[in-house]
Amino acid sequence: MGWKTLLFILGSLFLIAACSGSSSDPAPASQPTAAPAATEEPTQVPAAAQSAQQPAAGDGDTSGGKLVRLFVDPPTLDPHLTTDATSAQVIIEVFGGLVTIDRDLNVVPDLAEDWDISPDGRVYTFHLRSDATFHDGKPVTAEDVRWSLERATNPLTESPVVDQYLGDIVGVKEKLNGDAETISGVRVIDDKTLEITIDASKSYFLAKLTYPTGFVLDRENIEADPKRWFRKPNGTGPFKLSQYDVGETMVLSRFPTYHLGAPHLDEVEMILSGGTSMLMYENDEIHVAGIGLADLDRILDPGNSLNSELLQAPPTFSVQYIGMNVNEPPLDDVKVRQALNLAIDKQNLATSVLADQVVPANGILPPGFPGFNTNLRGYRFDPERARQLLSESKYGDDLDNIPPITMTTSGSFGASVSLDMEVVLQMWKKNLGIEAEFQQTEFATFLKDLHNRRFQMFDIGWIADYPDPENFLDILFHSESSNNHTNYSNPQVDSLLERARTETDESLRFQLYNQAEQLIVDDAPWVPLWYSGERFLLVKPNVHDYYLTPLYIPRLRYVYLTDEE
């Protein structure tokens, strides 16, 4: 997920859609999730800003109706397997965990009504809600939570990120390594009480449990149909998955006894068969649409009839980047990686190609995110310095003998490559004389190969799962992290990240992360491209409380429809 981060993750589809007005306007996780996202929205808006633009629910009846969105088939609906934002947006509405994230981005109770933390910060005792049930009415028990954590950490489940989100629990690493059959740090006290012990006091542990890897599943549901259970899942979330026809439609139906409050909507229909979002919006086929560059000027015109339905949204906590496998020649030389960074004119790219809808990235953490460092030293466009570094590398300036470079992006075979990536490759050719080739793979396959570190170079992005620097720097760059897709390794960085995990003074924690981020940027396993900029969204006037936040949260239960058009 980062999706939701959680997994909530932000990939190339996000920017392609936002800038072209395609049917897959943007969105990780996180979920929850770390990987490319594809949805109908070009951005997300803080709850306070959204509420100011659309009236809150009054005392009248706001129940009923169907919200219709344009969407795409998610790579998976199994919470324990998801790593992408597309899947996460459905999963967080159908399933849930001990805790969740609210509209103000706070970690709040979900299946657990409260919890106690031991004085040393290592033992969490969760007390489950008495009214929390699965969609079939069966009560959620502590044993359900324990079994779900055991399933997620079972090597046979093959969760690609379980060590990152549950690895702090005592015994998880031993189980993942095959040295234990159960998690020693998880203990059922009684039907409604569960104890979890972690390896050290960590301020972000609860936030990690909001990622789908920690979600609670129904054992009977899975064991009855192990290969297809997720087509008819028995979740605990505000909506039931009542229909899923691959490539055609997905329908979420209201769960009337949801323990945190029943949704207002009867249904949410997700159109999976494709289409042009702006055309469908103008034909009243969908309720929400992102605005591509081709339509932006006319919608911004106050005289346009759609202008009153326009929302301007601030950035998400995300970064778009090119990852480089530091073990693959010629990217195994830091000077080559630095040269590739210096040879890209990001400001020109942002202005000329993306109409200033993005903010050129100087580093890893996005602006406004906890721990963001305004003094970070990044790479300014300097083709002369780039050529000098290339000549100083072990490959010298003998371009004929430099190993070939292949950039992999997600996309169907034969699909057009995004203009921004084409321009990046043109800049490398013009400023360095290096020619790189494109390779495209289908989204689900792309994610699998990404986690198996099969790419030499790849274009992707990351959306925060929870608001802590650990979610970017530790998860993506620690040498032992499964999400370290570039094979980056620096013992000094590892040491700083490990110290930050248990540092209780927030100011000191952020200083450690700032030092680590600078070292990572200097080593250049990434070419940071841009952060999310302000974007634009159209929402029908009869849609209310369509909350949009910088992180992915379960939000559809708040939405309600009225009769006015």
Side-chain angles (χ1 to χ4, degrees):
M1 339 243 350
W3 61 258
K4 264 183 171 167
T5 121
L6 279 168
L7 162 303
F8 318 153
I9 335 189
L10 175 69
S12 58
L13 290 177
F14 182 95
L15 287 172
I16 296 170
C19 297
S20 68
S22 76
S23 62
S24 300
D25 295 348
S30 171
Q31 226 128 19
T33 166
T39 72
E40 88 223 9
E41 305 145 337
T43 188
Q44 299 175 306
V45 186
Q50 177 70 4
S51 296
Q53 297 182 57
Q54 296 192 11
D59 296 330
D61 183 13
T62 59
S63 297
K66 178 169 66 175
L67 181 78
V68 184
R69 313 171 56 183
L70 193 60
F71 209 68
V72 293
D73 282 294
T76 182
L77 289 177
D78 186 334
H80 296 165
L81 297 182
T82 187
T83 62
D84 69 286
T86 304
S87 301
Q89 289 181 83
V90 178
I91 287 171
I92 60 177
E93 302 292 349
V94 176
F95 302 92
L98 292 168
V99 289
T100 187
I101 295 179
D102 69 8
R103 290 169 289 179
D104 298 316
L105 307 187
N106 298 311
V107 176
V108 296
D110 186 348
L111 295 173
E113 62 181 355
D114 57 35
W115 51 84
D116 305 309
I117 306 175
S118 63
D120 65 358
R122 294 186 56 215
V123 182
Y124 288 72
T125 304
F126 294 93
H127 308 282
L128 303 188
R129 296 178 61 105
S130 60
D131 58 348
T133 69
F134 290 99
H135 291 157
D136 67 355
K138 182 171 53 181
V140 177
T141 68
E143 173 58 24
D144 292 318
V145 182
R146 187 203 67 80
W147 181 85
S148 298
L149 295 176
E150 294 286 3
R151 177 187 185 265
T153 55
N154 187 333
L156 295 178
T157 301
E158 297 184 333
S159 171
V161 294
V162 65
D163 58 327
Q164 293 306 308
Y165 293 95
L166 299 181
D168 301 309
I169 301 174
V170 171
V172 164
K173 287 182 170 59
E174 289 78 4
K175 184 175 179 181
L176 292 173
N177 292 334
D179 298 325
E181 294 185 357
T182 60
I183 307 171
S184 59
V186 176
R187 186 166 70 98
V188 172
I189 306 299
D190 57 43
D191 275 358
K192 294 297 179 181
T193 312
L194 182 84
E195 182 182 276
I196 296 179
T197 303
I198 59 177
D199 54 14
S201 177
K202 296 175 180 178
S203 60
Y204 49 80
F205 173 67
L206 278 176
K208 280 190 171 184
L209 293 182
T210 66
Y211 194 83
T213 311
F215 280 11
V216 177
L217 310 183
D218 177 18
R219 181 175 186 172
E220 293 178 353
N221 178 216
I222 294 174
E223 293 182 345
D225 191 358
K227 294 185 177 180
R228 293 175 56 85
W229 68 270
F230 47 81
R231 289 297 182 87
K232 295 183 179 179
N234 189 28
T236 65
F239 288 89
K240 306 175 185 180
L241 178 61
S242 57
Q243 179 182 351
Y244 182 21
D245 300 320
V246 176
E248 296 182 17
T249 187
M250 178 183 292
V251 178
L252 305 182
S253 299
R254 180 176 185 262
F255 180 35
T257 58
Y258 180 57
H259 54 275
L260 297 182
H264 300 293
L265 297 167
D266 286 332
E267 290 183 335
V268 177
E269 179 183 355
M270 300 181 181
I271 299 172
L272 309 176
S273 54
T276 303
S277 58
M278 276 300 301
L279 180 60
M280 296 174 74
Y281 184 87
E282 292 183 274
N283 289 338
D284 293 327
E285 298 175 57
I286 57 177
H287 288 96
V288 183
I291 305 174
L293 295 181
D295 297 294
L296 185 56
D297 286 343
R298 71 180 180 92
I299 303 299
L300 287 174
D301 182 354
N304 189 288
S305 60
L306 293 178
N307 183 262
S308 61
E309 301 170 22
L310 178 68
L311 295 181
Q312 186 171 357
T316 56
F317 291 146
S318 63
V319 60
Q320 186 81 13
Y321 65 94
I322 295 170
M324 296 179 282
N325 189 328
V326 300
N327 293 340
E328 292 282 340
L331 307 177
D332 57 342
D333 191 310
V334 64
K335 291 188 176 181
V336 173
R337 301 195 301 270
Q338 291 171 339
L340 292 171
N341 270 273
L342 290 165
I344 298 176
D345 188 346
K346 298 177 193 175
Q347 187 58 63
N348 178 275
L349 188 62
T351 299
S352 301
V353 178
L354 300 173
D356 290 321
Q357 296 301 296
V358 297
V359 177
N362 193 46
I364 301 159
L365 298 180
F369 196 76
F372 177 72
N373 182 10
T374 57
N375 297 318
L376 183 75
R377 300 183 306 277
Y379 296 92
R380 297 186 180 277
F381 179 53
D382 190 342
E384 183 176 343
R385 175 61 176 159
R387 288 188 289 271
Q388 179 183 344
L389 286 171
L390 184 62
S391 67
E392 294 174 359
S393 74
K394 65 182 180 181
Y395 299 100
D397 54 5
D398 185 359
L399 298 179
D400 292 334
N401 291 322
I402 288 183
I405 296 176
T406 300
M407 165 91 75
T408 304
T409 64
S410 61
S412 302
F413 178 77
S416 60
V417 176
S418 61
L419 179 58
D420 52 296
M421 284 299 100
E422 288 187 354
V423 174
V424 166
L425 265 61
Q426 290 172 7
M427 289 181 176
W428 284 341
K429 181 177 181 180
K430 174 184 177 182
N431 297 321
L432 292 176
I434 290 179
E435 294 195 46
E437 295 184 352
F438 275 114
Q439 171 182 288
Q440 288 183 296
T441 60
E442 186 270 331
F443 187 32
T445 302
F446 178 89
L447 293 178
K448 183 177 180 179
D449 288 346
L450 177 72
H451 287 291
N452 289 329
R453 307 186 187 186
R454 293 174 178 166
F455 299 143
Q456 180 188 26
M457 178 183 283
F458 53 91
D459 166 40
I460 198 172
W462 182 266
I463 303 173
D465 301 319
Y466 43 89
D468 191 283
E470 186 267 352
N471 188 230
F472 278 86
L473 301 176
D474 202 330
I475 283 182
L476 296 172
F477 296 101
H478 192 281
S479 62
E480 296 182 0
S481 171
S482 59
N483 268 328
N484 181 346
H485 304 132
T486 63
N487 285 309
Y488 174 72
S489 179
N490 182 325
Q492 188 177 355
V493 169
D494 282 354
S495 176
L496 289 167
L497 295 175
E498 289 162 11
R499 287 168 56 193
R501 291 173 185 173
T502 55
E503 177 56 61
T504 57
D505 185 305
E506 184 178 86
S507 177
L508 292 178
R509 281 190 77 230
F510 289 173
Q511 288 180 32
L512 292 170
Y513 284 125
N514 289 163
Q515 293 176 48
E517 183 181 19
Q518 186 63 68
L519 288 171
I520 295 166
V521 169
D522 291 345
D523 288 339
W526 279 16
V527 177
L529 292 174
W530 43 73
Y531 307 116
S532 169
E534 291 187 339
R535 303 182 190 281
F536 299 88
L537 179 71
L538 287 171
V539 178
K540 292 293 183 181
N542 66 322
V543 177
H544 306 278
D545 287 358
Y546 191 83
Y547 294 113
L548 300 166
T549 62
L551 301 177
Y552 285 114
I553 65 168
R555 63 177 183 191
L556 294 179
R557 71 185 179 96
Y558 301 110
V559 178
Y560 70 98
L561 305 178
T562 53
D563 293 333
E564 78 260 18
E565 294 294 341

